[in-house]
Amino acid sequence: MKYFKEKEFVCRCCGELPPVARENIVALVENVLDPARERFGKPIIVNSGYRCPKHNKEVGGVANSQHLRGEAADVRCTDNKRLAEIIEQNGKYDQLIIYPTFLHVSWKRSGVNRRAKLWSR
Ligand SMILES: [Zn+2]
């Protein structure tokens, strides 16, 4: 966790970050976000990290959202397109979903990381 702090990933409604979700967030940062931030060279803002089930419902997240496990974060910066390229080139991610104003990126500590790049409206 070089460029990010744990508190940036706590649930936006209740401030929670359960232990397993915390471990997953650390893995997401160390494998995906820190290396991307290093290459990008400018701040990355975390819109959303871990979500408790209640908050996930409130924001319209899918039922099995990786946010529920701390495996995903929504982030933004001054050049989301460039940041997406960097993440793709680094090659370590599970899902990378490019939204108009932010990127959703995830990482799994176990199983296969799919390197799935998608666009969403
Ligand atoms: Zn919450």
Side-chain angles (χ1 to χ4, degrees):
M1 299 275 276
K2 182 176 175 186
Y3 290 104
F4 298 87
K5 292 190 172 71
E6 192 179 308
K7 68 177 180 187
E8 294 177 80
F9 297 90
V10 301
C11 181
R12 293 295 183 258
C13 86
C14 57
E16 280 180 17
L17 184 61
V20 173
R22 186 191 169 279
E23 290 304 308
N24 289 336
I25 288 293
V26 169
L28 173 67
V29 170
E30 291 184 349
N31 287 283
V32 185
L33 292 176
D34 266 349
R37 169 63 182 81
E38 181 85 34
R39 269 180 76 181
F40 185 59
K42 282 178 277 185
I44 295 173
I45 296 157
V46 180
N47 288 351
S48 179
Y50 168 72
R51 293 177 193 158
C52 74
K54 177 174 157 273
H55 185 56
N56 190 58
K57 257 181 207 163
E58 282 168 358
V59 298
V62 294
N64 65 344
S65 171
Q66 290 184 296
H67 286 281
L68 292 164
R69 297 187 295 277
E71 290 178 339
D74 296 339
V75 299
R76 69 181 200 273
C77 62
T78 54
D79 190 346
N80 291 338
K81 200 179 154 203
R82 174 71 191 130
L83 184 62
E85 282 171 6
I86 289 170
I87 291 169
E88 193 181 14
Q89 284 166 11
N90 285 347
K92 289 179 83 175
Y93 59 98
D94 182 42
Q95 271 198 320
L96 174 60
I97 308 177
I98 301 163
Y99 288 83
T101 59
F102 66 92
L103 305 176
H104 168 103
V105 66
S106 66
W107 177 257
K108 293 188 290 192
R109 279 192 296 156
S110 57
V112 176
N113 283 282
R114 295 167 283 179
R115 288 201 219 176
K117 186 183 175 190
L118 311 157
W119 282 263
S120 185
R121 274 176 292 152

